[in-house]
Amino acid sequence: MALQFAPEDAVLYLVVHNWPRGIVAAAKVSQGRTFIKNVSHYFNEYPFWDAVAWAVQAVDTPCLERQGYESVLEHVVVQFVAKCSRICTHELVRHRLASYAQTSTRVLGLEAFRADDEKPGILYPLVEKAAEGDPKAIGKLCVIPEWDDGSVWEACREYFRRIVEHSGKGIDAWLRYSQPDALAAHIMVTTNLRELLHMASMRLHPHAHWEIRRLFEALADDLWEKYRIPFHLMLLLKRPGLATLRRDLKEKAHTQLKELLENLDKRSLSKLIILVQKSLGLQVP
């Protein structure tokens, strides 16, 4: 029995710090005017959309002369909590320039899954239902692929059935060794915008694992919807080849570019238009 894993279920929490102020301040400092400008110069914001345009042009584009300093993107901190399987988290933590905090099955084995004479664990009621094959319970505790032939579902149900049957009998000794990789985990990720672009450029490729691809699809959409970070546009400038592989990325980048140009001051337009046209071949609205 398969449960559909919707992209909107992947990102549970998202917050961005220092956008776009951190980029603006870093850019001003890097101009080398610390000896000729007073402190107030570094705290005066550019208009929001001008700052966004500067961030887009700061992305390192291999097909053109360097447009800016991509390192300034490191001053924007992105933090999110995701729910995904342990297969997904194993791939995610390979990106070593990020910080992670993940649900511990060692702690869960002691505090959440088990039941004893004094107090059932906080997840034990769900575990009991999952052991009986309840779809909602298994859907909360595991990530089941859409194309599952029933084997992943059955492995999860059997795992929870064994927990119920062995509750209060030292299950912690074997609990972590017998868990299915489909077991869901919450993972908190803190990284900077530059590293996130690198992560996404790899994980949004059509050959990437389906679950981590959906995670970054949801994350990219949320960054635009909640913070107006034109992540798809920046992503394709960083890795133009993705435009030929993922039509939806190109379409979303075009939508973001259109809104950016509608709000941008005219004196900031020309360089951005040339960059986008030469890099992506996008028809500027």
Side-chain angles (χ1 to χ4, degrees):
M1 186 174 189
L3 291 177
Q4 186 169 357
F5 181 71
E8 57 268 20
D9 295 335
V11 181
L12 305 178
Y13 164 84
L14 171 67
V15 63
V16 178
H17 301 282
N18 235 11
W19 167 262
R21 184 181 181 89
I23 290 176
V24 174
K28 289 183 176 183
V29 169
S30 70
Q31 291 171 354
R33 298 184 179 181
T34 52
F35 296 103
I36 59 177
K37 293 286 185 179
N38 57 35
V39 175
S40 63
H41 169 74
Y42 301 98
F43 292 94
N44 291 330
E45 287 277 17
Y46 292 140
F48 176 79
W49 286 106
D50 281 0
V52 172
W54 202 100
V56 170
Q57 294 174 79
V59 176
D60 192 7
T61 53
C63 54
L64 291 176
E65 295 181 1
R66 190 173 179 86
Q67 296 298 314
Y69 297 99
E70 194 182 22
S71 59
V72 300
L73 302 180
E74 296 173 12
H75 294 274
V76 176
V77 178
V78 181
Q79 189 177 77
F80 64 94
V81 175
K83 176 187 177 183
C84 55
S85 72
R86 296 188 174 272
I87 296 174
C88 180
T89 61
H90 288 343
E91 293 199 3
L92 189 58
V93 298
R94 290 173 185 167
H95 296 280
R96 286 175 273 179
L97 293 184
S99 298
Y100 303 96
Q102 182 177 339
T103 306
S104 169
T105 52
R106 178 176 60 83
V107 175
L108 280 179
L110 294 171
E111 303 293 338
F113 278 12
R114 69 180 302 169
D116 53 36
D117 295 336
E118 297 180 2
K119 183 181 179 182
I122 57 174
L123 293 178
Y124 190 72
L126 272 179
V127 171
E128 284 187 306
K129 292 180 179 179
E132 298 170 357
D134 183 277
K136 291 183 179 180
I138 293 182
K140 287 185 177 181
L141 295 172
C142 294
V143 175
I144 310 296
E146 298 171 13
W147 51 88
D148 178 35
D149 62 358
S151 57
V152 178
W153 173 275
E154 183 57 32
C156 292
R157 191 198 66 80
E158 176 63 18
Y159 173 69
F160 296 122
R161 185 186 65 80
R162 291 178 65 194
I163 291 178
V164 171
E165 291 183 353
H166 293 79
S167 59
K169 299 178 182 178
I171 62 171
D172 305 316
W174 56 262
L175 180 62
R176 301 181 73 198
Y177 292 91
S178 61
Q179 67 185 22
D181 284 337
L183 193 65
H186 289 168
I187 184 167
M188 185 173 193
V189 183
T190 303
T191 188
N192 62 64
L193 185 56
R194 184 183 189 180
E195 175 63 13
L196 194 67
L197 280 167
H198 168 69
M199 295 163 70
S201 70
M202 299 177 67
R203 301 305 181 175
L204 286 175
H205 191 280
H207 291 166
H209 175 58
W210 70 274
E211 195 181 345
I212 200 169
R213 189 172 67 243
R214 290 192 176 188
L215 168 60
F216 276 95
E217 287 171 353
L219 188 60
D221 288 343
D222 284 352
L223 286 170
W224 172 249
E225 294 297 330
K226 297 179 180 179
Y227 291 95
R228 278 304 184 259
I229 298 178
F231 197 78
H232 295 90
L233 179 58
M234 298 168 77
L235 175 65
L236 293 189
L237 286 172
K238 182 173 179 64
R239 191 172 176 184
L242 278 175
T244 61
L245 297 171
R246 294 290 303 273
R247 182 177 298 178
D248 59 327
L249 291 183
K250 192 169 184 177
E251 291 174 353
K252 290 177 179 180
H254 189 275
T255 300
Q256 294 170 5
L257 175 63
K258 182 178 179 180
E259 182 170 337
L260 175 58
L261 295 180
E262 287 175 350
N263 290 280
L264 202 57
D265 189 282
K266 289 184 178 180
R267 59 189 172 83
S268 304
L269 280 176
S270 58
K271 189 175 182 181
L272 180 62
I273 289 175
I274 293 172
L275 169 65
V276 172
Q277 285 181 330
K278 288 187 176 180
S279 298
L280 303 179
L282 287 181
Q283 187 64 37
V284 177

